[in-house]
Amino acid sequence: METTTVRTKVKDLLKKQPGQEVLAKGWVRTKRGNKEVAFIALNDGSTINNIQIVVDKTKVEDSLLSKITTGACIGVCGTLVESLGSGQAVEIQASEIVVYGECDPMRYPLQKKDTSFEYLRTVAHMRMRTNTFGAVLRIRNQMAYAIHEYFHSKGFVYLNTPLITESDCEGAGQMFQVTTLDLNNVPKNKKGAVDYSKDFFAKQTSLTVSGQLEGELGATALGEIYTFGPTFRAENSNTPRHLAEFWMIEPEMAFYDIKDNMDLAEDFIKHLVKYALNNCYDDIKFLNDRYDSELISRLEGVADTEFVRLPYTEGIKILEEAIKNGTQFEYPVSWGVDLQSEHERYLVEKHFNKPVILTDYPKDIKAFYMKQNEDGKTVRAMDVLFPKIGEIIGGSEREASLQKLEARVDELKMSRNNLEWYIDTRRFGSCPHSGFGLGFERLLLFVTGMTNIRDVIPFPRTPKNAEY
Ligand code: 4AD
Ligand code: MG
């Protein structure tokens, strides 16, 4: 292959002026044509759009042409010319073609009859080459960039919190244990319990369920921090909104009260949605036209709307009223219950028809670290609830009083062995502070309109599934 020309990505080729010699490389989406010419649609993952390659069959060996089948990887040198066909401004008039990798049509794994998302999850090497996953993964990439850029522009420090930890931040006990002990021959102590002193870290450790507690140490030193990393939960929930391994963004800010926290969460998420509309429009438009014709209007709606801010107690009243008026829920509603997704979605989609930030939850259904309200019953929690998704953000103002925090830890009979390092933040220069966690894949569900969280992450981990 001629090496005088450097490769140009398809995304950039489509914006170039005709008349230049170019080199494109990528995978064949389709090949069609007649006796004289072949038309190849080539995609290299840089954009949802393909570049059309026009091949004069008299100038290319039949044996080469027959290798150019759907899925094959090729390089094409040629002239960029104005396209006569509709659908694209330019195309490549090929002068030389190289086949890097053939793709046997008889064994090609994507037949028209079964390209369901579920099936695609079993064909890992093809999944990312489909239009849909290409679009989703490009959006995922842009969103990750936008998150870093957002916090960077506000002077937040990106803090890396540990993935292996001894603390169960959320206290829900849904942790994956990390051990090098031989599970077939576990060492026991005199009491007959596992002897963790023999384990790698000489203590019981797990994969983190949240970087928050370590993040609070960062915020109470650096001012404003955020984490953005993998998070692990061994909850056995086989739902379209739960992963066992997901990514979470957790900002934590000194001197923010609950209102500042809500303001930041609302601004942050609107910024991300606007960023997606401005920077991923081709991919979003594809998903909108193919699967969900309300996607763009939903995104625009959220970007322009003021979120509702509602105390939990008011939310319960609305739900009880709805039940009185004939709405049926699977799970019961009364003050004190943890809201189910159906309840959250009723508030967001039926009652208010916009995102809702629900605040001041009963303390018994929330984590130990949340700031206690004067009523003695509720805490300064905030969950951001979104259309189609339910909870997308969970957060709170933190309990800054040493006395109250210790009392709560004792009340919940939590072990203080591996918590003193955290409680120390309240002993030495305690400060009011707040933070929240945004589930990255929940955000992506919203931005892409995909309906199953497994389809917005390259390699999903869920109960009984950790392939690849
Ligand atoms: O509400 P959660 O459990 O809050 C925390 O972990 C706090 N420590 C956050 C903080 O205040 N720094 O989780 C936060 C968000 C949820 O709102 C949801 O978007 C997402 O993380 N999330 C999950 N996403 C996918 N799969 C799961 N199993 C998830 N569990 C939580
Ligand atoms: Mg939560």
Side-chain angles (χ1 to χ4, degrees):
M1 165 130 284
E2 277 182 48
T3 49
T4 45
T5 327
V6 288
R7 174 193 165 216
T8 308
K9 292 190 184 185
V10 171
K11 182 181 180 196
D12 301 321
L13 283 174
L14 293 171
K15 290 187 220 144
K16 273 193 172 218
Q17 289 302 317
Q20 313 173 42
E21 284 302 300
V22 294
L23 170 60
K25 297 181 180 181
W27 294 270
V28 174
R29 281 288 157 82
T30 55
K31 186 180 77 175
R32 59 189 179 82
N34 52 38
K35 278 203 188 105
E36 287 90 41
V37 283
F39 298 102
I40 302 165
L42 192 71
N43 190 281
D44 66 359
S46 60
T47 159
I48 187 89
N49 301 308
N50 305 323
I51 184 115
Q52 173 155 285
I53 316 290
V54 185
V55 187
D56 181 343
K57 285 190 173 173
T58 59
K59 293 189 183 149
V60 180
E61 299 268 334
D62 276 354
S63 60
L64 179 78
L65 213 51
S66 67
K67 291 178 185 164
I68 301 174
T69 58
T70 296
C73 182
I74 64 171
V76 182
C77 264
T79 315
L80 198 67
V81 296
E82 200 175 316
S83 177
L84 300 178
S86 60
Q88 66 269 324
V90 288
E91 60 193 21
I92 298 175
Q93 199 82 51
S95 54
E96 195 189 351
I97 300 183
V98 174
V99 176
Y100 295 119
E102 292 175 48
C103 187
D104 182 356
M106 303 305 288
R107 298 178 58 211
Y108 189 67
L110 299 189
Q111 304 304 331
K112 283 241 158 62
K113 65 176 159 37
D114 193 0
T115 50
S116 69
F117 294 151
E118 214 160 27
Y119 172 70
L120 282 178
R121 281 181 226 131
T122 69
V123 200
H125 65 106
M126 280 293 163
R127 185 172 179 249
M128 293 194 216
R129 280 200 209 153
T130 61
N131 282 328
T132 301
F133 287 94
V136 167
L137 294 177
R138 277 186 299 272
I139 294 170
R140 185 178 169 109
N141 170 57
Q142 290 286 347
M143 289 290 90
Y145 178 78
I147 287 163
H148 284 297
E149 187 223 50
Y150 179 85
F151 287 121
H152 186 82
S153 74
K154 289 191 172 307
F156 282 53
V157 173
Y158 176 38
L159 189 79
N160 299 124
T161 49
L163 299 192
I164 301 175
T165 175
E166 56 175 334
S167 90
D168 180 1
C169 172
E170 293 306 296
Q174 297 158 331
M175 305 186 83
F176 289 101
Q177 202 171 325
V178 174
T179 181
T180 52
L181 293 178
D182 177 357
L183 295 185
N184 290 312
N185 185 18
V186 177
K188 298 279 175 67
N189 59 24
K190 284 189 192 123
K191 289 183 189 154
V194 177
D195 183 359
Y196 282 106
S197 71
K198 303 259 166 33
D199 205 346
F200 188 91
F201 296 107
K203 57 173 63 156
Q204 188 178 1
T205 55
S206 302
L207 295 177
T208 185
V209 295
S210 160
Q212 179 195 324
L213 301 192
E214 293 87 350
E216 285 187 49
L217 271 62
T220 56
L222 298 160
E224 292 152 328
I225 65 95
Y226 71 103
T227 72
F228 185 176
T231 309
F232 307 88
R233 294 199 184 170
E235 48 192 335
N236 205 355
S237 3
N238 240 319
T239 81
R241 283 179 305 278
H242 289 88
L243 290 164
E245 178 181 290
F246 63 101
W247 287 64
M248 184 153 53
I249 300 99
E250 294 186 276
E252 191 72 34
M253 299 74 63
F255 315 118
Y256 272 50
D257 66 13
I258 184 75
K259 176 168 181 304
D260 303 324
N261 205 23
M262 285 193 273
D263 290 345
L264 181 73
E266 183 169 342
D267 184 65
F268 176 46
I269 209 154
K270 282 180 177 170
H271 172 83
L272 295 178
V273 170
K274 281 185 211 150
Y275 190 95
L277 284 167
N278 291 334
N279 294 276
C280 314
Y281 197 77
D282 282 358
D283 288 322
I284 290 176
K285 178 92 171 55
F286 167 81
L287 296 168
N288 183 89
D289 296 352
R290 176 96 164 242
Y291 303 110
D292 179 355
S293 59
E294 286 166 15
L295 175 61
I296 292 177
S297 59
R298 212 161 46 239
L299 295 178
E300 288 170 344
V302 161
D304 291 339
T305 311
E306 201 172 314
F307 296 3
V308 175
R309 298 180 182 194
L310 185 80
Y312 167 94
T313 303
E314 298 299 314
I316 292 291
K317 280 187 197 149
I318 292 170
L319 292 169
E320 284 175 336
E321 196 62 27
I323 293 170
K324 258 191 230 150
N325 293 329
T327 303
Q328 299 202 346
F329 294 117
E330 195 182 330
Y331 293 90
V333 175
S334 63
W335 198 94
V337 300
D338 207 354
L339 294 186
Q340 301 294 324
S341 165
E342 56 174 347
H343 306 135
E344 297 173 342
R345 292 184 59 175
Y346 179 87
L347 292 173
V348 173
E349 291 166 27
K350 297 264 163 50
H351 191 81
F352 290 108
N353 203 18
K354 49 166 117 171
V356 176
I357 311 184
L358 213 54
T359 59
D360 302 290
Y361 282 73
K363 66 174 184 186
D364 291 333
I365 56 170
K366 288 293 180 188
F368 75 99
Y369 51 70
M370 295 191 180
K371 184 173 172 70
Q372 296 159 39
N373 280 322
E374 264 89 71
D375 62 13
K377 293 191 300 192
T378 59
V379 286
R380 241 165 257 186
M382 52 164 241
D383 279 6
V384 181
L385 312 179
F386 254 47
K388 296 256 180 193
I389 314 288
E391 182 191 333
I392 194 164
I393 282 179
S396 73
E397 184 168 343
R398 315 308 187 191
E399 183 54 72
S401 147
L402 173 64
Q403 200 195 357
K404 284 190 183 163
L405 186 70
E406 286 186 311
R408 189 69 183 137
V409 166
D410 293 342
E411 196 179 357
L412 291 168
K413 301 198 169 57
M414 293 171 64
S415 157
R416 291 184 56 157
N417 285 343
N418 49 21
L419 214 55
E420 291 303 332
W421 61 271
Y422 173 74
I423 299 174
D424 277 346
T425 53
R426 275 62 167 182
R427 287 193 185 102
F428 303 95
S430 183
C431 82
H433 63 288
S434 300
F436 61 83
L438 167 68
F440 190 41
E441 288 76 17
R442 299 255 176 111
L443 169 77
L444 289 169
L445 278 178
F446 183 69
V447 173
T448 62
M450 299 294 277
T451 51
N452 193 321
I453 199 162
R454 294 165 175 83
D455 296 324
V456 294
I457 187 165
F459 300 98
R461 268 81 187 91
T462 49
K464 303 207 170 19
N465 165 48
E467 266 184 283
Y468 320 119

